[in-house]
Amino acid sequence: ASADGRRDFDAAVAAAFDRRDSVQNLIHENLQSAADSEVEQARRDVDRQIKNARRRLSALLLFATVLGFSVTFSLARSIGGPIRNVVGALRALRGGNFHERLPISGNDEFSDMALAFNQTAEELQRLTVTRAFLDDIQRSLADGVFVVDGDFKVQSLNRASMTLLGMAEPDVEGQPLNRFLKFPGGDPWVPELRANSRLECSLTGASGVSRPVLCSLEPLSGEEQGNARYVCTITDITGLKEAEQA
């Protein structure tokens, strides 16, 4: 009896261990399946988030690209127009059209540029008109007028001077003034001419015949240091001398 009881006990214990192993295996399989399912779900969630992030990034890049093109196009239009206006105005100014003006609108660098250009054009126009007016006056004077540089070489002369000399302007320009004017005291003649408002001297032209003239020399105002120019005015007094001798 005790041997049979021992065998039954051992069988019961073995059966209990078998059931325990079966339960452990079942629990392990269920846990592994649940873990795999959780891991797979997590992986899907991560993949979905990555895809969403990529879509949002692509949309942002597309928006930034479109915005960049729009800004560049707007800047090109806003800058290109004024620059073309300035270039056109400068070409007109170079061509001698001092009436050209740039429109001024706003309060930016282009407005400052337009204002500076307009002021420069106005000043050039005024100086050009003044120079043309003075040239007309000089050409119409009955007295001879020479404009000489600091070395007293002829830069320009009026029509009366050419008539008195019997020479054209290109033949006189660049020549020293004392080639045509002879002073009683000889050289140096400049200090004497500066010291006297009107000095009698003789003018010799292309014919080689000398005629008496009254001569004066005045510096041009507004000339820079080292670039001095002078105006020499001569008046023919041949008739006066002939009347004195009669």
Side-chain angles (χ1 to χ4, degrees):
S2 61
D4 293 336
R6 181 66 180 177
R7 283 194 297 273
D8 292 339
F9 176 76
D10 290 339
V13 170
F17 276 109
D18 289 340
R19 285 195 295 270
R20 186 199 63 178
D21 292 340
S22 298
V23 170
Q24 286 179 345
N25 291 333
L26 181 61
I27 292 173
H28 179 73
E29 291 174 359
N30 290 334
L31 289 176
Q32 184 65 39
S33 177
D36 291 343
S37 178
E38 290 293 334
V39 171
E40 182 65 22
Q41 183 63 37
R43 188 184 63 80
R44 292 196 192 98
D45 292 341
V46 171
D47 290 342
R48 184 171 59 254
Q49 292 175 2
I50 291 175
K51 289 179 181 179
N52 292 336
R54 286 177 176 174
R55 283 195 294 268
R56 287 194 294 269
L57 181 60
S58 298
L60 287 174
L61 289 175
L62 179 61
F63 175 75
T65 303
V66 173
L67 181 61
F69 277 117
S70 300
V71 171
T72 302
F73 181 72
S74 299
L75 286 176
R77 290 190 62 185
S78 62
I79 296 175
I83 289 178
R84 283 193 296 272
N85 291 338
V86 171
V87 172
L90 288 174
R91 287 175 177 171
L93 199 64
R94 185 182 62 182
N97 181 10
F98 301 116
H99 300 280
E100 186 73 18
R101 298 293 183 272
L102 287 173
I104 300 176
S105 60
N107 189 22
D108 53 13
E109 289 78 5
F110 286 110
S111 299
D112 296 339
M113 185 189 302
L115 178 61
F117 174 86
N118 292 344
Q119 291 174 345
T120 302
E122 289 175 2
E123 184 67 15
L124 287 174
Q125 182 181 0
R126 184 185 66 80
L127 292 175
T128 301
V129 171
T130 302
R131 176 65 181 271
F133 179 68
L134 291 176
D135 288 344
D136 289 340
I137 293 177
Q138 175 183 325
R139 285 192 293 268
S140 63
L141 287 174
D143 290 342
V145 177
F146 295 89
V147 177
V148 297
D149 60 17
D151 295 326
F152 298 96
K153 292 182 179 180
V154 179
Q155 288 188 331
S156 64
L157 64 160
N158 67 346
R159 188 177 296 110
S161 298
M162 289 184 280
T163 301
L164 291 172
L165 291 172
M167 302 173 68
E169 187 171 6
D171 299 327
V172 181
E173 287 182 343
Q175 300 296 325
L177 185 62
N178 59 358
R179 174 185 171 184
F180 311 105
L181 290 174
K182 304 299 180 183
F183 298 88
D187 291 332
W189 54 274
V190 174
E192 185 178 358
L193 185 57
R194 285 178 175 174
N196 296 273
S197 58
R198 301 287 280 180
L199 183 67
E200 184 175 335
C201 55
S202 61
L203 177 72
T204 303
S207 64
V209 177
S210 298
R211 68 177 71 199
V213 295
L214 287 177
C215 180
S216 65
L217 185 70
E218 296 291 339
L220 279 174
S221 61
E223 295 293 311
E224 297 180 358
Q225 188 73 18
N227 294 319
R229 293 191 303 168
Y230 301 88
V231 175
C232 180
T233 306
I234 57 174
T235 302
D236 186 6
I237 56 173
T238 302
L240 180 61
K241 288 294 185 178
E242 290 176 349
E244 288 177 352
Q245 295 173 359

